[in-house]
Amino acid sequence: MSSAEKPSSKGQAWFCTTGLPSDIVVEVDDMTFHLHKFPLMSKSRKLHHLITQQEAATHSSAPQQQQGTEDEDEIVEEQCHVTFTAFPGGSEAFEMAAKFCYGVKIDLSPSNVAALRCAGEFLEMTEDYSEDNLVSKTERFLSQHVLNSLKDSVKTLKSCDSLIPMAETLGITQRCVDSVVSRASSEDPALFGWPVSDVTTASKQVLWNGIDGAGRRKAGAGHGESWFEDLALLRLPLFKRLILAMKTAELSPEIIETCVMYYAKKYIPGVSRSNRKPLPLPSSSSSTVATEAEQKELLETLVSNLPLQKSSKAATATRFFFGLLRTANILSASEACRDALEKKIGLQLEEATLDDLLVPSYSYLNETLYDVECVERILSYFLESLDARNVTSNEDPAARSPALMLVGKLIDGYLSEIASDANLKPEKFYNFAISLPDEARLFHDGLYRAVDVYLKAHPWVSEEERENICGLLDCQKLTLEACTHAAQNERLPLRAVVQVLFFEQLQLRHAIAGTLMAAEAAAEPGRQSAVLEREAEEDEEGLGLEHVQEGNGTWRVAVRENQVLRLDMDSMRTRVHQLERECSSMKRVIAKFDKSGGSDGRGGGWRASLGRKFGCKFKTQVCDSHESTAVDTRKGRHHQQPQQQHHPHHE
């Protein structure tokens, strides 16, 4: 076709300007094509058959009509008309096929090759009808280009959405699915991006040897992200089919999970705080955001396809799954859907944050502000998975697991948050607190903080419930600072205060014993220095003058350290004797108090009298429940006191 024979489009009509009047009109969807018979008939058996059939019908009806002029016969010939109501690929695919018939070079791409392959099949543009025809041309492009590329296979698979069932009949869909599965299995997992970008973390990356490591990772992840993004454009039935094929081929759970997460991020609202407005579902008939029922179906489908293994990027994935869980609660998703998400989170609970655990209670059946039962179930799934891991790895069950310690600290923080909820029943608080194994808490300071907050927010609980809740605490696991605070805590029952004072006394004795051992160890270098000094005096002309000077310095340091240690020991001995006297006196007062039976045990009468009698005025300070040491020097205590005075839970 020469430059003067270019096609042109006017509104909904398409003309081929060859200089000759068109002798056939083809209607496809809402577009009308004014073409010529010969180019179409030379490449398409179907059009040849339809045109020949129409011409034969026209000639057979001609004798019954009145004979007209030649001009009238030409007008009759122009009335050849063909209509295609369900042409594969629509008017765009027919336009490219028509250009191919006219000899115009067409640009094949992964997005249009499937439509042109179906169009060629529909128009019967095969090799046995005409050499180098459209069917063979598109088949070569599919096999040599599209199916050799993961990204191109995904794009072609996306185009098959609107070509069903012909693309299915021709095997294009299945070939693309097989190509994606086989090539995805050989992809490097390190190149896979994650649908939730952590901008904060990326911005904190430090240059290493002058190279931006975060930038290199971002550039590398671009290849992986590109085909995941294209995959998320598939309609749900085709996406489910692809995920099923991946599972059948036993692809890496990481690949399958990333595919599902990209799809969820794109179409489910609320899964990430940066994406509150989801895109419309990939449907050819709808451009509006999916209805609540469609979102619920989509969520349940995606969750059912999540692998059951622990995620490779557990920290990011856990935050994402909590977002899905909140959405599942809002949409009232099925119990199986929510249970699957809770189990998935339970596998990697140590990666969660306190903010993740604060799942709002959306059901009117729950009185509490947060969904405590949901977190209880997640914790139980975590403990089950931890037991399974210990059995698999033959680890000692009594050994402290780092993951369990992290979860212990997390749960104690969660208890402190929910403790202020006025609707949280004492038995619910108690049962949740004891659901954590003893090995998860190295110290009970965090649990004490939660108990203190609960008693402060629930002053109306009975004395029996108060003692039951305080029974959660193991006073032997309270640090010295926590004991000091608890000893003057008016919210604690009398029995708990006595226990605290007793164990505080034991801790002080242990601290003194440790101080004495440290003093003896510090005295050893001093004695060695004295020996060196005497040897140096006997041989002043020797080579040990520098060693003598060093020995003198070490001796002076040791003497000063011993003086400080003696002062500390004297102070601690005085404190221990004072506590022993107070404890003995308190026992006598309590015995008299029990005999007289004059108060309910909760008021300030006995506590005030004890305070006046023993002068229990201690500094209040509570350490973190997972500090590595419980011994604090006087200097460290003075340093930490101002910080504790502003603690919101210990007024």
Side-chain angles (χ1 to χ4, degrees):
M1 184 182 294
S2 65
S3 59
E5 299 172 350
K6 292 180 181 178
S8 63
S9 178
K10 296 180 180 179
Q12 296 300 103
W14 191 92
F15 296 88
C16 185
T17 56
T18 60
L20 299 173
S22 62
D23 51 10
I24 181 173
V25 175
V26 181
E27 287 189 15
V28 180
D29 296 339
D30 56 349
M31 182 69 76
T32 302
F33 295 88
H34 298 268
L35 305 169
H36 303 87
K37 295 177 183 177
F38 178 74
L40 300 180
M41 295 173 68
S42 66
K43 290 289 185 181
S44 169
R45 179 184 280 118
K46 186 179 189 72
L47 284 172
H48 183 277
H49 176 70
L50 291 173
I51 292 169
T52 304
Q53 199 174 35
Q54 276 204 25
E55 286 178 345
T58 302
H59 289 312
S60 63
S61 62
Q64 299 175 5
Q65 299 175 353
Q66 294 181 352
Q67 284 193 340
T69 60
E70 267 182 43
D71 294 339
E72 288 175 343
D73 290 338
E74 289 176 3
I75 293 173
V76 170
E77 281 189 350
E78 290 179 2
Q79 299 307 311
C80 188
H81 195 281
V82 176
T83 301
F84 294 127
T85 54
F87 193 85
S91 58
E92 292 182 4
F94 181 82
E95 179 181 339
M96 295 191 72
K99 288 180 180 179
F100 180 82
C101 292
Y102 278 91
V104 178
K105 183 181 179 181
I106 58 175
D107 294 325
L108 292 175
S109 70
S111 300
N112 65 25
V113 66
L116 285 174
R117 173 65 183 88
C118 293
E121 188 72 21
F122 185 86
L123 295 173
E124 300 178 27
M125 300 174 69
T126 57
E127 193 73 18
D128 59 347
Y129 182 75
S130 176
E131 186 179 352
D132 197 21
N133 215 339
L134 186 59
V135 169
S136 59
K137 189 176 182 69
T138 51
E139 277 292 341
R140 279 197 304 273
F141 188 82
L142 272 170
S143 59
Q144 295 176 7
H145 296 87
V146 172
L147 300 180
N148 286 328
S149 166
L150 174 59
K151 184 176 173 61
D152 290 346
S153 297
V154 174
K155 286 186 176 180
T156 302
L157 183 62
K158 166 67 179 73
S159 68
C160 291
D161 269 333
S162 58
L163 301 172
I164 304 295
M166 181 166 281
E168 195 69 52
T169 304
L170 298 175
I172 302 174
T173 306
Q174 189 59 47
R175 281 185 285 170
C176 288
V177 168
D178 294 340
S179 173
V180 171
V181 171
S182 63
R183 300 196 176 281
S185 62
S186 60
E187 284 283 301
D188 183 6
L191 297 178
F192 296 161
W194 193 253
V196 183
S197 58
D198 194 345
V199 180
T200 306
T201 305
S203 64
K204 292 181 180 178
Q205 297 293 336
V206 183
L207 288 176
W208 179 83
N209 199 21
I211 301 173
D212 186 359
R216 286 188 293 110
R217 281 191 295 274
K218 185 176 180 181
H223 173 68
E225 288 183 8
S226 59
W227 72 273
F228 282 123
E229 290 284 357
D230 292 334
L231 206 65
L233 298 175
L234 296 175
R235 294 180 65 189
L236 188 57
L238 200 52
F239 180 79
K240 286 168 57 178
R241 176 176 170 179
L242 180 62
I243 296 297
L244 180 60
M246 288 181 172
K247 287 184 174 180
T248 304
E250 298 182 351
L251 253 67
S252 164
E254 180 182 0
I255 299 176
I256 299 174
E257 186 171 282
T258 308
C259 291
V260 173
M261 290 299 99
Y262 264 97
Y263 206 90
K265 175 180 177 279
K266 205 170 190 69
Y267 303 113
I268 297 178
V271 294
S272 65
R273 296 181 178 179
S274 60
N275 182 32
R276 292 300 187 188
K277 292 188 71 176
L279 294 175
L281 288 175
S283 172
S284 58
S285 60
S286 174
S287 60
T288 59
V289 176
T291 63
E292 188 172 310
E294 290 173 332
Q295 289 178 4
K296 178 180 174 182
E297 179 188 1
L298 174 63
L299 176 64
E300 292 175 351
T301 302
L302 294 180
V303 171
S304 66
N305 283 287
L306 281 172
L308 299 178
Q309 293 86 347
K310 182 178 179 179
S311 304
S312 58
K313 299 180 178 65
T316 311
T318 303
R319 186 166 60 250
F320 206 97
F321 293 142
F322 269 108
L324 287 178
L325 183 59
R326 288 184 175 90
T327 306
N329 289 335
I330 294 172
L331 296 175
S332 299
S334 66
E335 186 176 346
C337 173
R338 285 177 283 182
D339 191 53
L341 283 170
E342 289 171 359
K343 286 182 179 178
K344 188 75 175 173
I345 294 170
L347 292 174
Q348 50 216 27
L349 183 58
E350 69 272 16
E351 301 291 346
T353 63
L354 181 57
D355 186 52
D356 293 331
L357 290 184
L358 298 176
V359 179
S361 180
Y362 295 101
S363 173
Y364 66 91
L365 298 175
N366 292 332
E367 298 177 349
T368 54
L369 179 62
Y370 296 111
D371 197 341
V372 181
E373 293 179 355
C374 170
V375 179
E376 278 185 305
R377 290 192 297 268
I378 291 174
L379 177 60
S380 67
Y381 291 136
F382 167 77
L383 296 175
E384 289 175 8
S385 68
L386 193 65
D387 291 340
R389 274 184 268 174
N390 291 338
V391 171
T392 305
S393 58
N394 295 323
E395 292 183 4
D396 182 11
R400 293 187 184 275
S401 165
L404 183 60
M405 299 295 289
L406 287 171
V407 170
K409 190 171 184 178
L410 181 68
I411 295 300
D412 282 347
Y414 181 75
L415 281 168
S416 297
E417 285 292 327
I418 65 173
S420 58
D421 189 346
N423 293 323
L424 184 63
K425 299 291 189 295
E427 60 272 12
K428 197 172 189 66
F429 178 85
Y430 178 85
N431 291 332
F432 187 27
I434 64 172
S435 62
L436 200 63
D438 291 338
E439 300 82 30
R441 295 184 175 105
L442 185 61
F443 294 103
H444 272 209
D445 290 34
L447 183 58
Y448 168 66
R449 184 180 294 111
V451 168
D452 186 39
V453 173
Y454 187 85
L455 295 179
K456 182 179 180 181
H458 303 76
W460 56 83
V461 296
S462 66
E463 185 66 21
E464 181 182 355
E465 292 171 332
R466 187 180 298 268
E467 290 195 358
N468 192 34
I469 289 174
C470 289
L472 293 167
L473 298 172
D474 184 353
C475 296
Q476 298 183 68
K477 290 187 176 182
L478 290 177
T479 63
L480 195 57
E481 290 77 13
C483 285
T484 304
H485 184 280
Q488 62 173 347
N489 192 341
E490 296 185 358
R491 289 183 282 272
L492 297 182
L494 176 61
R495 186 191 305 274
V497 174
V498 172
Q499 288 179 348
V500 167
L501 286 170
F502 175 74
F503 286 108
E504 184 187 23
Q505 183 183 24
L506 285 181
Q507 287 200 48
L508 283 170
R509 286 186 172 182
H510 290 314
I512 288 175
T515 304
L516 290 172
M517 293 177 64
E520 291 177 2
E524 289 296 327
R527 285 195 288 269
Q528 293 177 4
S529 300
V531 172
L532 287 174
E533 189 174 358
R534 285 195 300 272
E535 290 178 355
E537 289 175 354
E538 292 174 0
D539 190 10
E540 292 182 355
E541 296 180 1
L543 300 175
L545 291 177
E546 294 181 1
H547 295 288
V548 171
Q549 293 174 1
E550 184 180 351
N552 289 336
T554 306
W555 171 251
R556 291 192 205 95
V557 171
V559 169
R560 284 196 298 269
E561 288 180 351
N562 284 338
Q563 290 173 350
V564 173
L565 287 171
R566 286 194 191 97
L567 290 173
D568 283 340
M569 285 190 292
D570 291 341
S571 174
M572 295 181 82
R573 284 195 188 96
T574 303
R575 174 66 178 144
V576 169
H577 293 322
Q578 180 187 0
L579 282 173
E580 288 175 344
R581 289 194 302 271
E582 290 173 356
C583 197
S584 300
S585 301
M586 183 179 288
K587 289 178 180 176
R588 290 194 295 271
V589 172
I590 292 171
K592 293 178 182 178
F593 184 80
D594 289 339
K595 290 178 181 179
S596 62
S599 178
D600 63 350
R602 287 181 54 190
W606 68 269
R607 203 179 295 269
S609 67
L610 287 179
R612 288 192 299 271
K613 187 173 183 63
F614 306 127
C616 299
K617 296 180 180 178
F618 313 129
K619 295 291 184 181
T620 61
Q621 187 173 15
V622 180
C623 285
D624 184 62
S625 61
H626 292 266
E627 288 294 333
S628 57
T629 178
V631 181
D632 195 0
T633 63
R634 293 180 300 161
K635 181 179 179 181
R637 192 179 292 255
H638 288 313
H639 177 69
Q640 293 182 3
Q641 281 170 7
Q643 208 173 19
Q644 178 60 30
Q645 290 171 1
H646 294 80
H647 198 287
H649 297 329
H650 305 292
E651 297 174 358

